[in-house]
Amino acid sequence: MKAPYLLGTDIGGTFTDCAVFGSDGDMIVAKTPSTPPFFEKGLLLSLVSAADKLKVTIEDLLKNSRHLSHGTTVATNALINQKGARVGFISTKGFEETLWHMRGAAYCQGLPIADWQHKVTNPRPFTLVDPSCCIGISERIDHSGKVLCPLNEQELTDAAQQLIKANGVDVVGIGFLWSFINPVHELQARDIILEEFPHIPVTLSSELAPLLGEYERWSTTALNAFLGPEVKGYIERMLSELAKTAHKGDYTPAHIMQANGGLVSHKRAIAEPVKLLQSGPAGGMVGALELMKVLKLDKVMTADMGGTSFDVCLIDKEAPYVQSSIHNRHAIATRMVDIESIGAGGGSIARVERGNLTVGPDSAGAEPGPVCYSKGGIYPTVTDANAVLGYLNPKALLGGKMSIDVEAARRAVEDNIARLLGMEVEDAALGIVQVVDAHMADLLRFHALSRGHDPRDFSVFCFGGATGLHACGIAEQIGLSKTIVPLGGAATVFSAIGIARCDQKRFFSLSRTFALVAGNAELLVEAFDELMEVVRTQLAQEDIDPKRLGWSFSVSVRYRFQTNELEIPISKNKTGSSLIDTIINRFDKLYTKRFGPDSGYREGGRELLAVHAVGILPTPREAIIASSLNGSSAGGGQALELSGSRMCFFADAGWVETGVYNIDSLDPSASGYKIQSPAVLEAEGTTILVPSNWTASIDAYRNIILEVI
Amino acid sequence: MRDYGKPLPELGLAKTWVPPFKLSMPAERVDPVTYEIVRHRLWYAGMTIGETLRKVSGTIVVSEAQDFSTFITLADGAPAFLGPYVLLHAGIASLIIDGTLKVMTQNDKIKPGDMYFLNDPWMGVVHQPDCAVISPFFVGKELIAWCGVVVHQLDMGGVDPGGVSPHAKDAYGEPTIYPAVRIVERGRMRSDIDRLLRRNSRLPDILALDVRSMIAANRAAQNQMTEVVKRYGVSTVQTVMSKMLWDSYMAFAERLDSLARGTFRARDFFEGGGYLPEHADELYEVDLAVTNDGERLHFDFSGTSPQANGFVNCGFGGALGGILGALLPVLAPDIPWNGGILARLEITSQEGTINNPIWPAAVSGGVTEGSISTGTVTAGALGHMIQCSPAASAKLPPPSGSVFMGSTFGGVDVEGKFWGTLIMDPIGMAANASSNADGVDLCGSGAIPFTRFANVESAEHSYPMLYLYRRMGRDAFGYGRHCGGRAIEFAFKIHDVDFAALLLWCHGAEFPNVIGMSGGGPSSAARFGITGDTDIEKLWASAQLPTSDDFDFQALVAKKELFLTPDDVIVFTIPGGGGYGDPLSRDPQLVAEDTISGKLSPKLASDWFGVVVTQEGTVDLEATKRQREQLCLRRLQEAKVVGNKNEIKDASFTNPKSKGAPVLNIGDGLSIKLQPDTETLVWACQKCGFQYGPIEDNPFYHAALRHGHINELGHPMGQMVHLDQPRFIMREFFCPNCALRIALDIARPDIDPVIHAAQLDEGWVMEHFVSKVATLKAPAITTTTDGVR
């Protein structure tokens, strides 16, 4: 592999993944255990592992890397473990309970629908800000930005004293009503606080999430403040580890992946820790977009099954976003990749209730894990069912690092499922697998239908550790005759691959609401002027010249009286009423396409809600994914060598001697080869099942194409 | 008025309703794997209906308030899938399908490709703004299933804008009724019906949009059903749906078997029949007796007021919706909600009463009046049942009655355009306390699983209003060993306009509706208030933002029409939840914390909880002990007794002390004991052993009774209709010996008999508790209790 390299790393809760691209397009990947709470150690381990595979030292790897990009679960972990700062929050007086109210949805928000039935017995999500640390002060601005009541400086000073001196908060968030229209009071409040307490980090709702809706904006602000110290500590430790490791600190600065699918500088990442939540899955979406370009596909759904959850994402040419989402039961109003999840994974527990077979949504997780991992799990899981059926390598999971206890899995399925249902143990195991396949297929179908698409128009990319075993089962349930495991064995580190190839991106939004009519053309121009002023100010803080970035612009629009919003891309070359006409035109068309004919209430008129600007600093892309395989794309078709065989159980054929292939290092010459089914394809960290009525072939990019015979 | 201690009187026109479908165990067997796969698939198909509706409609009612429901039923209307939206609507799926099937004739049959539009309260919908579109699902010529949606519409006509007509005397003054008209025929929307609908609405375009979204949602459901049937076959899909129903049916039987046998009663009142002068003095009563025989629940509404000549009645669908909204979250939190549960209910109700009115009664306000009141009595009666069921009470959530404070707010904006909305903040309701915890704050309505209110900024963006504060109400919850949850209170004024109209309606303004359990205090009352005497602008100019404590609101009656000017500030105080247990048993430390956090005033802490809190916020233990003793003393000094003939007389208690150990403890205050000498069961005080009387008696008849002024509760309240003379009193029931409070109810003085809240089946007690005690604990009782004595 040729230097300089592109490095992509993704720290997950269990594993830390690494992908290295050479400038010749070659790629190697590595997977090592994560090391909470000091995740930076695990990061180094994965880099060492990658360097070993390249047969270079880690110092050389770092020195010769053009780019180290990095997705991390640190923020997610801090949120799950409720390990964050003690936050003080200052709001408009009379609205200091807003964060506690959660718009009255505290007992349902972010929970599976089945749990809504017994909401009053559900626990509240843990409180980001203790109610005693939320103080309201006198100030009021109305919807037009007019100051009705000036900021009461004395009340503010008293509040800051109370929070910082008496209540001992580490960080302060400030959220005032309508601050996204007129931030003057929030800015003034920050100045006053910093004057007295210069060491206290202050997050402003108007800077972090300048959008309509005080609960979501303030929740984002509070969450950002809560995560701040933990994320800052991690990033600083990581940078210092890298500096220690590299020759004389000689390495390219790390860029951090955000949930919006863009990389930012470590300084920016420290200032906006809330945007690191879900950054790994966002990497998967970026990887899928890259691969779609190579394969010339327009419509792809991604399916990522891990130990506890199953994530799906629908890409119709462009990256899908949501502006508002729920994360670990907390509302976040910053742009995130639109990913939907259910509790279905390798660890999902199978049960018999009232004579019915159920699978999940509860999971044995990593601890105690499936029965066959022998770490104390006693309930049969999806992984146990796969083990019973012979699909998993009993001796050498994770590239030989782990063996499994198939007998224990068999006993668990027998005792807890098969006997109660009066089934053979194999049929029960197969049933568990089929049920979880169907559940995942139902989510994929629902995700597509609820976004106005037919899932059968899409190709499916199956990546993540557990998806390969279920790829064909899911496809069968949806009625697809083809499904793709991208990049073969590297599918298990697909997010790291996406992160490596991601661009630096900066998203800026400003909420401005007015009727989209020709007479308001001037307002639109003003809104963009204001937005660009924000852009200049923020980038100046990081010494970035906006001209270095490539810019694109868009606006959020809806029909008056309807809540569905669409983001319409615009070109800034047009101005005035012709621009308004163009927006209206595009919006009407897109609305019809997305929501169906006659679904838009055009008579109500259209309303502009926000203006957006995205700045992109592209990552060098001379090396398209594994392009060195291109030469053989005509199909060398050289046969893959069997690495062994074992007995596997299938619905139609029962126990069958099944070929096992190792696909860790696929040779380019195998491109075009069709593997005879049934077969099991094994790689470090993942296994792909090819049932007897399916066939697998390998394409020029090492993708495994699974097709119905 | 009926004496609750006596057998039921003749029911007259009363009829007993059973669901219009029959369930049976599926004859065919589907293997468990296929069952789970198809069940899950149907569930997602049902969810797709809701998503399609949300996507195509996009109106605030559908997307934000989620005021809609979705269902898939078998051919006879048995709902196998109910969307997790508004249960008030969902319960009626079977009624509207049955109603539609009945109106069709030989010459006008249900055909493939049809869809029907209906909003007829005499065909099952709760009130006229709730519009349904339902579609039959055929395979070949056979009707297999129905899909459907019900969506609240912002305007369907009628005398008042907004669909709720407080000025109406009968249904002719209310929104236009469509009794199952064919909106789609052979797959095509009928333009004549479309024109008819538009012509009768003040917001024709939004209605047209929603009708289209309802049709699209039905199409999505039909498509999904077609795919499922194609893949798995008709008989498998039918069998799976039948089994879904049957599983819930059987699971609910197990639940009923785990609950106390007997008859459990509750009563609720609501005041004001509308805005017309003749409505002002009206007062209505909903009476309920629920009998659990271990397999079925029988609901008897005998004693309920005759129908009103105003908008507060609710159709029978409203009564059923009210029952289900209260029952499902409480008795079936862990059982899939579908017709299987419905099939175990029977309802006896007299036609011509307030929740089962005869055409052409006005019913447009039924959803927040008759129907919610039906839910409140259901919650109350079930609360008594659960308390008497030790096996179930620990795992079931506390039932919560409720009040929804309704409003239509509208006017003309600066551009001269009409604007109008419902204020949805009152959905920030609270839950009752339970035996093991305080009630949950802001849990929202039990009848709508997922609810949330709008952001202040969203409201101010859309309408010319300005919020002054939004907080949980102070002192506005039921006091008890565990306190009721807190609900929202908010105040606003108009902004940017000079004038707006505000139609307000609720009930329970001059008295609280939701009773507490086991001696806990009732919820607070619903308060609409107004003040015009504010110096807001002046205060603002000096950087002072006035909030809750700075306004002196004048309370309003429950039903009121207002015309607002920019000086007016309006407040809504939503009632908090009811309490559980005697407030004098609450941990003083918790009471102190409540006063520090501002939840409770120090005065009420002392008056109701007997807790004295120091300036520093700590409990003054000595003073608290004294205060609690003082309060107990006062309870007995002021008490009278009800007596067996329901005549109140001075207290003189000569009952013997009960003996033996309790066989069954009921809540905090009462227990059932077996008297060793007579081998009979008696009610006894859990704390001191005082014997109230034999099990067949109402223990409250033998309790010390104290009448209190309704204002003693200390809650924020609405205005009394008769300012000098409250129509209601508070009645406290104590143990005559140790003064432990066992109940607090609200009643009209000299009119309302004391309710026989828990009339236990003696045989059930004997079988379930006495025999067990005898076999398991007999030696223990003889050595410890009798030995000591």
Side-chain angles (χ1 to χ4, degrees):
Chain A
M1 184 187 288
K2 271 194 194 150
Y5 311 118
L6 282 184
L7 285 180
T9 54
D10 176 28
I11 302 184
T14 320
F15 291 108
T16 299
D17 299 339
C18 179
V20 186
F21 288 92
S23 49
D24 51 3
D26 227 348
M27 175 187 79
I28 62 106
V29 299
K31 197 175 191 72
T32 53
S34 293
T35 54
F38 300 107
F39 285 101
E40 63 279 6
K41 307 272 184 215
L43 177 69
L44 264 282
L45 284 178
S46 84
L47 290 170
V48 168
S49 168
D52 286 350
K53 287 190 181 177
L54 281 174
K55 299 192 172 62
V56 298
T57 62
I58 183 168
E59 289 86 353
D60 285 338
L61 180 67
L62 289 174
K63 187 178 173 190
N64 294 320
S65 289
R66 186 192 291 250
H67 187 82
L68 167 65
S69 48
H70 179 39
T72 171
T73 192
V74 168
T76 307
N77 231 51
L79 183 54
I80 290 172
N81 297 326
Q82 307 177 14
K83 198 176 155 204
R86 184 165 164 81
V87 181
F89 198 86
I90 297 176
S91 75
T92 305
K93 192 175 165 194
F95 304 92
E96 49 284 276
E97 290 177 3
T98 298
L99 283 172
W100 175 256
H101 293 170
M102 300 177 73
R103 293 176 61 193
Y107 304 93
C108 290
Q109 179 170 298
L111 289 175
I113 290 168
D115 290 341
W116 297 359
Q117 274 192 220
H118 45 76
K119 62 178 172 183
V120 301
T121 53
N122 292 338
R124 277 185 75 91
F126 85 96
T127 317
L128 294 171
V129 189
D130 187 277
S132 68
C133 294
C134 272
I135 300 183
I137 62 152
S138 290
E139 71 79 38
R140 189 66 153 101
I141 287 170
D142 78 358
H143 66 99
S144 66
K146 188 171 115 190
V147 175
L148 300 177
C149 170
L151 180 83
N152 188 318
E153 298 194 1
Q154 188 57 51
E155 284 181 22
L156 180 80
T157 314
D158 293 348
Q161 290 280 353
Q162 170 70 32
L163 289 173
I164 297 164
K165 288 264 180 67
N167 298 1
V169 306
D170 314 317
V171 290
V172 171
I174 301 177
F176 293 148
L177 290 175
W178 296 107
S179 63
F180 65 99
I181 295 284
N182 182 355
V184 60
H185 287 170
E186 285 193 3
L187 294 168
Q188 193 185 343
R190 177 167 63 187
D191 289 347
I192 293 170
I193 292 172
L194 288 182
E195 202 170 303
E196 189 141 347
F197 305 101
H199 61 285
I200 291 282
V202 177
T203 300
L204 299 188
S205 82
S206 55
E207 282 185 356
L208 186 67
L211 293 165
L212 185 137
E214 74 277 5
Y215 163 61
E216 290 80 5
R217 190 169 76 246
W218 297 356
S219 167
T220 314
T221 307
L223 193 50
N224 199 64
F226 178 81
L227 296 172
E230 191 69 18
V231 166
K232 181 164 185 270
Y234 164 74
I235 291 179
E236 285 173 352
R237 289 197 310 273
M238 175 196 74
L239 292 175
S240 108
E241 285 283 338
L242 287 174
K244 264 193 281 177
T245 309
H247 286 302
K248 301 172 195 141
D250 184 9
Y251 71 99
T252 316
H255 289 104
I256 314 287
M257 184 76 179
Q258 293 190 327
N260 53 31
L263 294 170
V264 291
S265 70
H266 62 86
K267 275 189 196 155
R268 196 75 222 152
I270 288 171
E272 301 173 335
V274 69
K275 296 186 182 174
L276 300 190
L277 293 168
Q278 207 181 289
S279 65
M285 188 281 296
V286 173
L289 263 178
E290 279 284 292
L291 191 57
M292 282 166 71
K293 279 183 216 153
V294 175
L295 299 179
K296 300 194 170 54
L297 292 171
D298 275 350
K299 291 173 186 283
V300 163
M301 292 188 79
T302 67
D304 178 356
M305 182 186 188
T308 55
S309 70
F310 176 66
D311 297 342
V312 304
C313 176
L314 180 146
I315 310 171
D316 182 15
K317 289 199 196 86
E318 283 158 11
Y321 290 114
V322 284
Q323 192 58 56
S324 193
S325 55
I326 306 294
H327 208 91
N328 278 71
R329 304 188 59 194
H330 294 282
I332 300 180
T334 63
R335 178 185 292 256
M336 281 197 178
V337 172
D338 181 11
I339 291 169
E340 192 171 5
S341 255
I342 51 167
S348 289
I349 294 173
R351 290 204 167 81
V352 175
E353 286 168 359
R354 312 193 68 78
N356 297 328
L357 173 64
T358 65
V359 183
D362 54 331
S363 168
E367 301 287 336
V371 177
C372 64
Y373 287 4
S374 308
K375 286 196 286 184
I378 49 171
Y379 298 110
T381 64
V382 170
T383 298
D384 292 313
N386 281 317
V388 168
L389 299 169
Y391 302 158
L392 291 175
N393 189 326
K395 299 223 174 66
L397 276 189
L398 283 180
K401 287 174 208 140
M402 187 174 151
S403 65
I404 56 171
D405 185 346
V406 178
E407 256 326 295
R410 211 180 147 83
R411 274 196 306 276
V413 173
E414 168 110 54
D415 294 348
N416 293 283
I417 310 292
R419 199 171 299 148
L420 301 177
L421 294 177
M423 296 168 95
E424 293 296 320
V425 63
E426 290 84 0
D427 290 334
L430 203 58
I432 294 169
V433 170
Q434 286 169 341
V435 164
V436 81
D437 286 351
H439 287 190
M440 292 189 285
D442 286 345
L443 179 69
L444 273 166
R445 186 185 303 106
F446 179 73
H447 188 81
L449 287 172
S450 58
R451 279 154 187 76
H453 295 283
D454 186 329
R456 288 166 295 196
D457 299 339
F458 284 73
S459 304
V460 178
F461 285 177
C462 296
F463 53 77
T467 327
L469 280 173
H470 299 268
C472 295
I474 295 170
E476 265 179 21
Q477 283 288 338
I478 303 177
L480 296 174
S481 54
K482 182 178 161 185
T483 185
I484 299 166
V485 179
L487 308 182
T492 172
V493 299
F494 198 71
S495 288
I497 292 167
I499 289 165
R501 312 209 45 85
C502 190
D503 295 325
Q504 291 186 58
K505 281 186 194 163
R506 296 301 300 276
F507 295 85
F508 296 89
S509 294
L510 203 60
S511 194
R512 287 291 175 270
T513 44
F514 48 83
L516 209 55
V517 292
N520 283 340
E522 212 31 55
L523 289 177
L524 185 59
V525 174
E526 277 171 26
F528 270 108
D529 287 348
E530 272 184 76
L531 179 67
M532 291 320 286
E533 187 53 43
V534 173
V535 169
R536 277 187 290 275
T537 318
Q538 278 205 18
L539 292 184
Q541 288 166 7
E542 299 162 57
D543 297 324
I544 299 175
D545 179 0
K547 292 201 185 79
R548 278 177 56 214
L549 280 64
W551 290 95
S552 57
F553 304 93
S554 58
V555 290
S556 290
V557 183
R558 71 177 180 194
Y559 290 114
R560 222 178 145 207
F561 305 117
Q562 287 187 291
T563 56
N564 296 322
E565 294 176 29
L566 289 178
E567 203 175 310
I568 308 298
I570 61 167
S571 135
K572 285 255 285 174
N573 298 332
K574 278 192 184 158
T575 50
S577 56
S578 77
L579 177 58
I580 302 261
D581 287 344
T582 312
I583 295 173
I584 290 175
N585 213 342
R586 286 188 186 159
F587 173 71
D588 287 350
K589 269 193 199 144
L590 188 61
Y591 201 96
T592 303
K593 188 175 163 218
R594 186 69 61 80
F595 301 113
D598 297 329
S599 60
Y601 180 44
R602 296 187 183 188
E603 293 77 4
R606 297 136 197 101
E607 195 170 47
L608 184 123
L609 295 169
V611 293
H612 312 279
V614 186
I616 298 180
L617 191 61
T619 292
R621 259 197 194 67
E622 68 271 25
I624 297 300
I625 295 176
S627 63
S628 63
L629 286 177
N630 255 333
S632 56
S633 62
Q638 190 173 325
L640 224 62
E641 268 185 46
L642 268 179
S643 56
S645 74
R646 61 173 175 264
M647 297 299 283
C648 292
F649 189 87
F650 294 96
D652 43 0
W655 286 105
V656 176
E657 180 85 27
T658 303
V660 178
Y661 298 85
N662 187 298
I663 54 162
D664 267 327
S665 46
L666 274 183
D667 192 87
S669 60
S671 165
Y673 178 64
K674 273 196 193 316
I675 294 169
Q676 200 181 352
S677 63
V680 172
L681 316 185
E682 291 181 349
E684 187 181 354
T686 192
T687 307
I688 301 162
L689 179 71
V690 192
S692 43
N693 53 335
W694 285 71
T695 164
S697 56
I698 299 152
D699 79 357
Y701 307 98
R702 296 183 180 118
N703 300 312
I704 310 286
I705 317 287
L706 297 159
E707 282 169 292
V708 174
I709 295 172
Chain B
M1 216 55 57
R2 180 156 78 62
D3 183 337
Y4 289 83
K6 300 251 169 74
L8 296 175
E10 289 295 311
L11 288 173
L13 289 170
K15 285 182 189 162
T16 294
W17 174 91
V18 292
F21 54 83
K22 288 268 175 294
L23 292 189
S24 55
M25 196 169 82
E28 273 182 63
R29 202 182 116 78
V30 178
D31 74 87
V33 176
T34 307
Y35 172 72
E36 176 59 13
I37 290 173
V38 177
R39 182 200 67 80
H40 196 266
R41 178 83 196 265
L42 286 171
W43 207 81
Y44 264 96
M47 294 298 292
T48 306
I49 313 178
E51 280 307 307
T52 307
L53 194 67
R54 207 197 302 264
K55 191 158 58 79
V56 180
S57 158
T59 58
I60 287 169
V61 173
V62 171
S63 301
E64 282 279 319
Q66 305 210 64
D67 195 351
F68 65 90
S69 59
T70 61
F71 46 83
I72 300 173
T73 77
L74 283 171
D76 59 2
F81 166 87
L82 294 174
Y85 309 104
V86 180
L87 294 180
L88 278 175
H89 305 169
I92 59 166
S94 55
L95 298 184
I96 60 180
I97 288 161
D98 183 54
T100 305
L101 286 166
K102 281 192 179 129
V103 296
M104 303 317 278
T105 61
Q106 199 57 34
N107 296 328
D108 185 12
K109 286 184 184 162
I110 288 164
K111 293 189 204 73
D114 281 355
M115 291 191 199
Y116 300 89
F117 181 97
L118 73 162
N119 70 335
D120 189 338
W122 282 268
M123 289 176 79
V125 306
V126 179
H127 64 162
Q128 299 93 331
D130 289 338
C131 299
V133 171
I134 55 174
S135 57
F137 177 71
F138 282 86
V139 174
K141 284 184 179 167
E142 194 189 352
L143 177 65
I144 301 298
W146 288 86
C147 308
V149 293
V150 180
V151 180
H152 181 95
Q153 291 303 322
L154 287 173
D155 197 282
M156 296 292 292
V159 61
D160 292 303
V164 174
S165 313
H167 285 104
K169 283 183 179 176
D170 55 35
Y172 297 110
E174 296 193 312
T176 315
I177 291 177
Y178 303 86
V181 296
R182 198 177 267 107
I183 182 87
V184 173
E185 190 167 26
R186 291 194 205 101
R188 293 198 163 198
M189 184 171 180
R190 281 183 54 168
S191 62
D192 52 350
I193 302 292
D194 189 29
R195 280 197 299 280
L196 181 65
L197 284 166
R198 284 173 186 254
R199 192 60 166 161
N200 282 292
S201 169
R202 290 178 182 84
L203 297 167
D205 296 322
I206 291 185
L207 172 63
L209 194 67
D210 267 352
V211 170
R212 279 158 181 77
S213 74
M214 290 157 87
I215 292 171
N218 272 282
R219 285 208 176 106
Q222 296 270 336
N223 288 342
Q224 288 300 305
M225 288 295 287
T226 307
E227 279 189 28
V228 181
V229 165
K230 199 166 141 195
R231 181 167 181 131
Y232 298 99
V234 174
S235 83
T236 300
V237 172
Q238 279 175 316
T239 306
V240 168
M241 286 171 76
S242 300
K243 184 163 155 52
M244 286 163 76
L245 290 157
W246 189 254
D247 280 352
S248 288
Y249 183 71
M250 295 311 286
F252 194 55
E254 276 173 32
R255 176 58 37 80
L256 293 182
D257 188 49
S258 76
L259 290 164
R261 261 7 97 65
T263 299
F264 305 89
R265 295 185 178 84
R267 180 162 57 206
D268 188 35
F269 301 97
F270 54 103
E271 75 270 46
Y275 288 168
L276 302 177
E278 65 258 40
H279 290 144
D281 262 4
E282 297 288 311
L283 196 61
Y284 310 97
E285 175 179 354
V286 177
D287 279 3
L288 172 63
V290 179
T291 302
N292 176 24
D293 67 7
E295 289 185 355
R296 276 188 165 64
L297 283 182
H298 183 91
F299 289 74
D300 185 344
F301 287 98
S302 301
T304 296
S305 297
Q307 68 191 52
N309 72 336
F311 76 134
V312 295
N313 304 295
C314 73
F316 184 73
L320 181 59
I323 289 172
L324 289 174
L327 179 149
L328 294 177
V330 172
L331 294 191
D334 47 358
I335 301 171
W337 292 348
N338 62 36
I341 297 169
L342 199 61
R344 292 201 178 269
L345 309 183
E346 291 172 354
I347 302 168
T348 299
S349 161
Q350 215 159 343
E351 286 189 334
T353 50
I354 198 137
N355 56 2
N356 189 7
I358 296 167
W359 171 267
V363 292
S364 62
V367 65
T368 58
E369 302 291 327
S371 180
I372 280 194
S373 190
T374 304
T376 298
V377 288
T378 303
L382 296 182
H384 294 305
M385 184 194 296
I386 291 171
Q387 268 205 70
C388 297
S389 319
S393 63
K395 57 181 175 187
L396 297 180
S400 296
S402 59
V403 167
F404 185 83
M405 299 179 69
S407 61
T408 300
F409 182 35
V412 174
D413 68 12
V414 280
E415 291 164 18
K417 280 190 195 144
F418 173 80
W419 62 272
T421 185
L422 310 166
I423 296 174
M424 286 304 290
D425 305 41
I427 207 71
M429 299 170 178
N432 281 12
S434 67
S435 63
N436 47 25
D438 282 352
V440 170
D441 297 334
L442 296 187
C443 65
S445 162
I448 314 178
F450 189 100
T451 48
R452 58 183 187 195
F453 42 79
N455 278 305
V456 164
E457 288 174 354
S458 303
E460 293 184 357
H461 165 70
S462 304
Y463 308 105
M465 62 196 297
L466 189 92
Y467 279 73
L468 296 163
Y469 67 89
R470 184 153 78 184
R471 289 174 171 168
M472 292 184 284
R474 175 182 289 198
D475 301 333
F477 53 91
Y479 316 136
R481 179 169 69 83
H482 287 134
C483 290
R486 287 190 296 164
I488 211 80
E489 174 176 300
F490 61 100
F492 64 96
K493 65 195 283 297
I494 56 171
H495 185 62
D496 288 342
V497 292
D498 298 328
F499 175 85
L502 181 62
L503 311 185
L504 301 173
W505 65 91
C506 73
H507 58 265
E510 59 175 295
F511 56 91
N513 279 86
V514 178
I515 56 164
M517 279 291 147
S518 197
S523 69
S524 56
R527 174 181 66 158
F528 291 124
I530 186 169
T531 176
D533 183 22
T534 57
D535 278 323
I536 290 185
E537 310 254 335
K538 216 182 280 173
L539 287 165
W540 282 349
S542 61
Q544 298 294 322
L545 208 57
T547 61
S548 38
D549 301 331
D550 305 314
F551 295 106
D552 189 12
F553 291 109
Q554 178 206 334
L556 300 170
V557 295
K559 292 172 174 91
K560 183 83 182 168
E561 183 175 25
L562 295 173
F563 300 95
L564 303 181
T565 69
D567 288 334
D568 294 325
V569 175
I570 298 293
V571 68
F572 285 40
T573 305
I574 317 304
Y580 189 101
D582 187 342
L584 293 186
S585 331
R586 186 165 174 84
D587 179 351
Q589 192 52 44
L590 293 177
V591 178
E593 283 167 20
D594 291 344
T595 61
I596 297 165
S597 69
K599 175 175 167 183
L600 184 70
S601 314
K603 180 174 184 312
L604 292 172
S606 167
D607 288 358
W608 279 103
F609 296 90
V611 174
V612 181
V613 183
T614 64
Q615 290 285 336
E616 293 75 40
T618 57
V619 179
D620 182 335
L621 287 172
E622 262 311 301
T624 296
K625 187 161 175 279
R626 276 199 308 276
Q627 172 71 356
R628 286 190 162 179
E629 281 167 3
Q630 197 68 34
L631 288 173
C632 282
L633 207 60
R634 197 187 80 170
R635 283 177 171 185
L636 295 183
Q637 277 167 354
E638 294 181 4
K640 297 169 184 302
V641 69
V642 183
N644 268 333
K645 289 189 175 162
N646 201 30
E647 295 160 348
I648 292 164
K649 56 187 183 190
D650 287 337
S652 89
F653 301 99
T654 54
N655 304 23
K657 198 171 165 132
S658 63
K659 295 187 186 129
V663 293
L664 171 61
N665 280 329
I666 294 170
D668 281 9
L670 292 167
S671 52
I672 304 274
K673 287 187 178 179
L674 181 69
Q675 293 309 286
D677 36 3
T678 55
E679 297 206 337
T680 53
L681 294 169
V682 297
W683 292 98
C685 172
Q686 216 177 94
K687 195 167 151 197
C688 74
F690 169 81
Q691 191 183 127
Y692 283 96
I695 188 169
E696 62 269 23
D697 269 18
N698 186 350
F700 298 161
Y701 284 173
H702 306 286
L705 166 68
R706 180 182 166 272
H707 283 187
H709 194 284
I710 202 95
N711 282 345
E712 274 184 38
L713 287 165
H715 294 146
M717 297 194 72
Q719 183 197 327
M720 308 284 169
V721 170
H722 303 288
L723 280 177
D724 309 332
Q725 200 189 355
R727 289 188 284 185
F728 289 87
I729 53 162
M730 147 187 115
R731 300 192 296 204
E732 293 182 277
F733 299 85
F734 309 112
C735 167
N737 183 45
C738 70
L740 179 70
R741 193 165 86 191
I742 55 170
L744 187 160
D745 81 355
I746 304 295
R748 289 167 294 185
D750 310 325
I751 296 178
D752 293 318
V754 174
I755 226 164
H756 195 172
Q759 188 177 356
L760 281 169
D761 179 332
E762 201 176 333
W764 175 76
V765 178
M766 278 291 187
E767 186 190 335
H768 278 75
F769 301 100
V770 177
S771 56
K772 270 185 205 158
V773 171
T775 52
L776 296 176
K777 293 190 183 164
I781 290 170
T782 47
T783 50
T784 56
T785 322
D786 290 357
V788 170
R789 285 205 183 126

